[in-house]
Amino acid sequence: MSKTYDELKKWIVMMSIVAAVAAEPQVPCLFIFGDSLIDNGNNNNLLTIAKVNFKPYGIDFPLGPTGRFSNGNTIVDIMAQLLGFEDYIPSYFTVQGKQILSGVNFASAAAGIRPETGLNWGDRFTFDEQLTNFKNTVEQLDAILGGREATLNHLGKCIFISGFGNNDFLNNYFLPAVYNTSKMYTLQQYIPVLLNRYTEQLKILYTYGARKLALVGAAPIGCIPFTLFTRSDGVKCADDENRASQMYNTQLRARIDVFNARFHGAHFILIDGYNLINDVINNAEAYGFKVKNKACCGSSLICLPNDYVCPNRSDHVFWDFAHPSETACTIVARRAYVAQKPTDAYPFDLRRLAQL
């Protein structure tokens, strides 16, 4: 039987205490790249619809609305806690001075691997632009630490989390009214093209010092409430979108072995977002959820300031029409940190990566 949410919260507190006693944190820094699932406010000052620095977002978060697409903590917030970080990893646009020694969150809602992905939402920091921001951070580290050699030594001990792919399907390939990628490629052709570009981008991260990399695979995007109600009957997951995520993750997993063989001194792992979130959805009642196919708040893709909010957020797998609730994030982060099944992480989990 799966643990209830209260038990999971107790487990996280216990693991955080163990981390604090043993070594705090388990790695000196955490650098984060990705989309709205892990954005913590980098879009707040952009001209974009894809920003949520207002209530009801953050209704259960200690600091209130920050730009996180959640009622509370995101998956990477909880991962950071499990790794022993006392403070939240700051966003690129709020980090100050020597805070960068402990890490930076570069993630941006609507971002993708391809440069045009998410443009329908407005401004955002594509993965290429996030890499440029990281390059600027590396140069700041050079100044603080006294040179590139010291910077590379520091970064080699850190964990880098990169989560891309969802928007390259939802806000690109499966949006033919705006993008022509589905006219240019079949799905079987598109995914290798996407992963080839991703591979080149990861090479840049490696060049600038990343050695411990956790790649978060695509989620079951056919099962999010938005897709359920626009591409299906509101109950059954959309097959095309889910098949795309599965194909993407399968091919990304195969590349993990290639990366580990070709990138000298680096360790890559895959956190399988599809299997983790899909397991939560399929076993919702066992995890203590009462609602798995409807959002806790809002009537469109994101919640608006005056939208209805369900009274018990922990009853819902999804907070809004596209993003998991803090409760669901807690379960996913825990299993990414300590894998319960072989499909959770490959070739090993986040805790093992920190130990290397």
Side-chain angles (χ1 to χ4, degrees):
M1 177 66 67
S2 301
K3 289 180 173 61
T4 65
Y5 181 57
D6 287 342
E7 289 172 323
L8 287 168
K9 292 285 279 188
K10 291 177 183 177
W11 185 90
I12 287 177
V13 171
M14 180 189 71
M15 292 300 295
S16 299
I17 292 171
V18 169
V21 172
E24 185 187 1
Q26 296 160 41
V27 290
C29 43
L30 181 62
F31 291 93
I32 301 159
F33 305 82
D35 54 29
S36 58
L37 287 172
I38 50 182
D39 183 358
N40 66 343
N42 283 307
N43 280 20
N44 288 353
N45 295 317
L46 297 182
L47 292 174
T48 179
I49 305 170
K51 58 182 175 182
V52 292
N53 54 337
F54 51 82
K55 294 180 179 180
Y57 287 91
I59 190 171
D60 300 311
F61 192 68
L63 304 177
T66 59
R68 287 168 168 81
F69 285 71
S70 173
N71 59 299
N73 286 290
T74 66
I75 291 171
V76 291
D77 288 329
I78 298 163
M79 287 178 177
Q81 292 172 22
L82 293 170
L83 287 166
F85 288 91
E86 289 186 359
D87 298 322
Y88 289 103
I89 302 300
S91 69
Y92 178 68
F93 288 97
T94 61
V95 69
Q96 295 181 343
K98 292 187 177 181
Q99 282 184 320
I100 62 173
L101 290 168
S102 296
V104 181
N105 187 330
F106 299 91
S108 173
I113 295 167
R114 292 178 65 90
E116 78 276 10
T117 290
L119 187 60
N120 51 299
W121 286 88
D123 291 344
R124 68 271 178 269
F125 294 99
T126 67
F127 190 21
D128 289 336
E129 292 168 329
Q130 291 178 39
L131 290 171
T132 297
N133 292 339
F134 177 62
K135 177 178 178 290
N136 295 335
T137 298
V138 170
E139 292 172 354
Q140 293 174 51
L141 285 169
D142 289 345
I144 292 171
L145 296 173
R148 184 58 53 91
E149 183 177 352
T151 296
L152 292 176
N153 181 61
H154 179 71
L155 293 175
K157 302 171 185 175
C158 307
I159 284 181
F160 290 73
I161 295 175
S162 178
F164 288 99
N166 296 310
N167 284 322
D168 292 291
F169 295 115
L170 285 174
N171 289 296
N172 195 321
Y173 192 81
F174 289 114
L175 207 58
V178 181
Y179 303 97
N180 64 358
T181 44
S182 62
K183 301 179 183 71
M184 296 170 58
Y185 307 106
T186 64
L187 190 60
Q188 289 75 14
Q189 295 169 332
Y190 181 65
I191 291 173
V193 169
L194 194 60
L195 287 174
N196 287 342
R197 184 178 184 89
Y198 196 24
T199 298
E200 294 304 310
Q201 292 163 328
L202 293 171
K203 284 182 182 178
I204 295 173
L205 264 186
Y206 175 81
T207 299
Y208 280 102
R211 293 297 181 270
K212 299 181 180 185
L213 299 100
L215 309 184
V216 182
I221 56 176
C223 298
I224 64 173
F226 175 77
T227 311
L228 285 176
F229 287 94
T230 58
R231 301 273 291 183
S232 187
D233 60 1
V235 178
K236 184 180 181 296
C237 297
D239 291 335
D240 289 347
E241 283 79 356
N242 272 0
R243 183 165 55 251
S245 292
Q246 289 175 300
M247 290 172 60
Y248 175 86
N249 288 0
T250 298
Q251 293 184 37
L252 181 57
R253 176 180 169 127
R255 294 197 182 208
I256 292 291
D257 293 327
V258 177
F259 295 157
N260 284 326
R262 292 185 180 177
F263 291 91
H264 178 72
H267 301 280
F268 286 79
I269 68 169
L270 173 66
I271 297 170
D272 197 321
Y274 186 96
N275 285 315
L276 285 168
I277 297 176
N278 199 47
D279 183 67
V280 173
I281 294 170
N282 289 338
N283 298 288
E285 289 186 7
Y287 282 110
F289 294 108
K290 296 179 180 178
V291 184
K292 64 180 182 180
N293 64 335
K294 297 180 181 178
C296 170
C297 88
S299 56
S300 58
L301 198 54
I302 62 173
C303 310
L304 299 176
N306 295 320
D307 277 343
Y308 169 81
V309 178
C310 65
N312 192 349
R313 271 75 70 184
S314 62
D315 284 347
H316 287 250
V317 173
F318 290 97
W319 157 245
D320 62 15
F321 271 64
H323 304 94
S325 65
E326 181 185 51
T327 312
C329 288
T330 301
I331 297 167
V332 171
R334 173 189 180 271
R335 288 178 55 176
Y337 181 69
V338 178
Q340 292 182 5
K341 298 180 180 180
T343 54
D344 290 352
Y346 176 82
F348 43 78
D349 54 34
L350 196 62
R351 181 171 64 171
R352 174 73 185 283
L353 183 64
Q355 294 169 347
L356 296 176

